[in-house]
Amino acid sequence: MKSKKILIILLVSFLFAGSFLNAQASNNSYASSSTQGTTQMSRTIRNPTVPNLSIQLTQPQSGEEVAFSIRLLILLSIFTIAPSILIIATCFLRFSIVLDFIKRALSLQQVPPTSILNGIAFFMTIYAMWPTFTKVYDNAYKPLSEGQIGIEQAITEAENPIRDFMFSQMQGDPSYIEMFMNMAGLDKPEYKQDVPTHILIPSYILHELTVAFKIGVILYIPFIIIDIVVASVLMSMGMMMLPPVQISMPFKLMLFVLVDGWGLLTQQLFVSVLR
């Protein structure tokens, strides 16, 4: 009896399974037949056109064409090194070095990152150099864009405000200018116009490095005193294995924040440049 019941159940299940598969097959055939169709491309749509680009090299026919090519090459070279020239011919050099000094004096390794310090120095430089950049725009870029002057005159007009700024920072310290003039075999200048730009720029760089290092030494003195006091206390307590920097850094940060170090430092940097 049990075997008969099992056979009946198997037959019924096979019948239901067959009917279910037939229904699915009919549905699939209906779906496939109902989704048949054709698509046509609109005749108004055209393929995109790409313009041809050709470069032609020809021999110069006159000396003016040769001179123009050389001037163009020199101009492109100047534009390539323009960011470096702007960095070393402005107060960015002083700001970046002093900010790095204060970071090392506080015994900070990762905070703030060097990229952040360079960004701060960059925007401080824009603020300090804004009057100079305005003169360059009014005297050089704007007349050049309006066609009133040529490229050579525009370069001269853009160079004058930057030269005046560098001379203003080197007042009372012409030693570097005299040194480079002697190295170049030139006579001692009597006026600012007698100093070539290729002499002025390296003189200004050395002057800025000297000023930045002087400011850095002054900033280091109070923090060195804190390091000496903390190291003496640790040695008197017999804790020679404990790094003094680990203990002195919180005291340095507290002192720097209490005296508003960032505000004082920024103010004095601007005063040293915009005096």
Side-chain angles (χ1 to χ4, degrees):
M1 294 294 294
K2 292 182 179 181
S3 60
K4 290 182 179 180
K5 291 180 179 180
I6 293 172
L7 290 174
I8 292 171
I9 292 171
L10 291 174
L11 290 174
V12 172
S13 60
F14 278 124
L15 290 175
F16 276 108
S19 62
F20 178 76
L21 292 174
N22 292 329
Q24 288 292 110
S26 62
N27 290 333
N28 292 334
S29 63
Y30 175 76
S32 61
S33 61
S34 62
T35 55
Q36 292 180 357
T38 58
T39 56
Q40 293 181 355
M41 194 72 175
S42 178
R43 296 181 179 180
T44 60
I45 298 176
R46 298 180 180 179
N47 294 328
T49 58
V50 179
N52 295 326
L53 179 63
S54 62
I55 299 176
Q56 185 178 3
L57 299 177
T58 59
Q59 295 292 333
Q61 302 298 326
S62 62
E64 294 181 356
E65 294 183 0
V66 176
F68 176 76
S69 301
I70 294 175
R71 287 200 299 268
L72 182 61
L73 180 61
I74 294 174
L75 184 62
L76 293 176
S77 301
I78 292 175
F79 285 158
T80 303
I81 62 176
S84 300
I85 295 175
L86 291 177
I87 287 174
I88 62 179
T90 60
C91 53
F92 178 84
L93 188 63
R94 182 186 304 186
F95 290 164
S96 61
I97 293 175
V98 171
L99 291 176
D100 190 71
F101 264 110
I102 195 64
K103 176 182 176 180
R104 296 178 185 275
L106 291 171
S107 302
L108 300 175
Q109 302 297 328
Q110 302 295 334
V111 179
T114 305
S115 58
I116 299 298
L117 293 179
N118 290 333
I120 295 172
F122 175 73
F123 284 102
M124 290 173 61
T125 303
I126 292 178
Y127 176 81
M129 296 291 297
W130 191 256
T132 304
F133 292 155
T134 303
K135 293 180 181 178
V136 172
Y137 176 80
D138 293 336
N139 299 334
Y141 179 78
K142 189 175 180 181
L144 178 64
S145 62
E146 294 176 355
Q148 299 177 2
I149 59 176
I151 295 178
E152 296 179 356
Q153 186 178 355
I155 293 174
T156 304
E157 293 295 334
E159 185 181 14
N160 290 331
I162 299 176
R163 283 174 56 91
D164 294 338
F165 173 80
M166 289 190 285
F167 276 117
S168 67
Q169 299 302 312
M170 300 178 64
Q171 288 181 355
D173 188 15
S175 58
Y176 292 115
I177 294 179
E178 295 177 357
M179 181 185 69
F180 280 102
M181 292 290 286
N182 293 330
M183 293 172 60
L186 302 176
D187 297 332
K188 183 178 179 180
E190 297 181 1
Y191 304 100
K192 296 188 297 184
Q193 292 78 8
D194 298 334
V195 180
T197 304
H198 69 276
I199 298 294
L200 179 60
I201 291 178
S203 304
Y204 175 77
I205 292 172
L206 293 184
H207 176 268
E208 288 295 293
L209 289 174
T210 303
V211 173
F213 273 76
K214 289 180 180 178
I215 298 174
V217 170
I218 296 173
L219 292 175
Y220 251 102
I221 292 175
F223 300 111
I224 289 176
I225 294 174
I226 295 175
D227 287 334
I228 293 173
V229 171
V230 172
S232 301
V233 171
L234 292 177
M235 290 185 65
S236 63
M237 295 175 63
M239 304 174 69
M240 292 178 291
M241 299 300 294
L242 185 63
V245 177
Q246 188 175 358
I247 305 300
S248 64
M249 184 177 67
F251 292 100
K252 293 179 182 179
L253 294 177
M254 290 171 57
L255 175 64
F256 191 73
V257 172
L258 289 175
V259 301
D260 190 18
W262 290 114
L264 291 175
L265 179 63
T266 304
Q267 182 181 1
Q268 293 304 315
L269 284 175
F270 283 143
V271 168
S272 67
V273 173
L274 302 176
R275 60 182 182 274

